[in-house]
């Protein structure tokens, strides 16, 4: 048998969407606004929470996933630049 090793940069608690946004998506979003290409890719086993992580499970801020947080961040930056 062949041995396979995996390396993780970070493992997040499953209830910390804001921390995931701040660590993963905020910098990608900021760079995309500056004109760079950016990708946030959710990969994993069926039922592992990819859709929930990306879209969230509610309209309250704590239940929002990565995509609604990115949209809110883009609007925040646009509003700040228009002042």
């Amino acid at each position: 048998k062949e041995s396979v090793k995996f390396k993780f940069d970070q493992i997040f608690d499953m209830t910390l969407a804001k921390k995931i946004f701040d660590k993963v998506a905020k910098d990608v979003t900021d760079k995309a606004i500056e004109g760079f290409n950016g990708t946030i890719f959710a990969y994993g086993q069926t039922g592992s929470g990819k859709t929930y992580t990306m879209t969230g499970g509610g309209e309250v801020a704590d239940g929002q996933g990565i995509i609604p947080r990115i949209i809110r961040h883009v609007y925040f930056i646009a509003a700040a630049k228009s002042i």
Side-chain angles (χ1 to χ4, degrees), residues 21 25 29 40 54 65-75:
F21 171 78
T29 304
I40 299 170
M54 295 306 290
I66 301 294
I67 295 169
R69 290 173 191 275
I70 289 171
I71 293 168
R72 187 174 50 216
H73 184 64
V74 168
Y75 278 105

Side-chain angles (χ1 to χ4, degrees), residues 6-75:
F6 295 94
K7 181 181 176 187
F8 297 97
D9 292 330
Q10 182 146 5
I11 298 173
F12 295 95
D13 184 277
M14 62 186 212
T15 60
L16 300 173
K18 181 176 179 352
K19 189 178 272 189
I20 295 170
F21 171 78
D22 290 340
K23 182 73 176 179
V24 175
K26 187 174 181 298
D27 289 340
V28 174
T29 304
D30 291 340
K31 291 295 184 183
I33 289 171
E34 293 174 13
F36 293 94
N37 292 330
T39 301
I40 299 170
F41 187 76
Y43 178 80
Q45 184 175 351
T46 300
S48 64
K50 299 173 299 292
T51 301
Y52 182 82
T53 299
M54 295 306 290
T55 61
E59 293 187 20
V60 295
D62 289 344
Q64 291 182 342
I66 301 294
I67 295 169
R69 290 173 191 275
I70 289 171
I71 293 168
R72 187 174 50 216
H73 184 64
V74 168
Y75 278 105

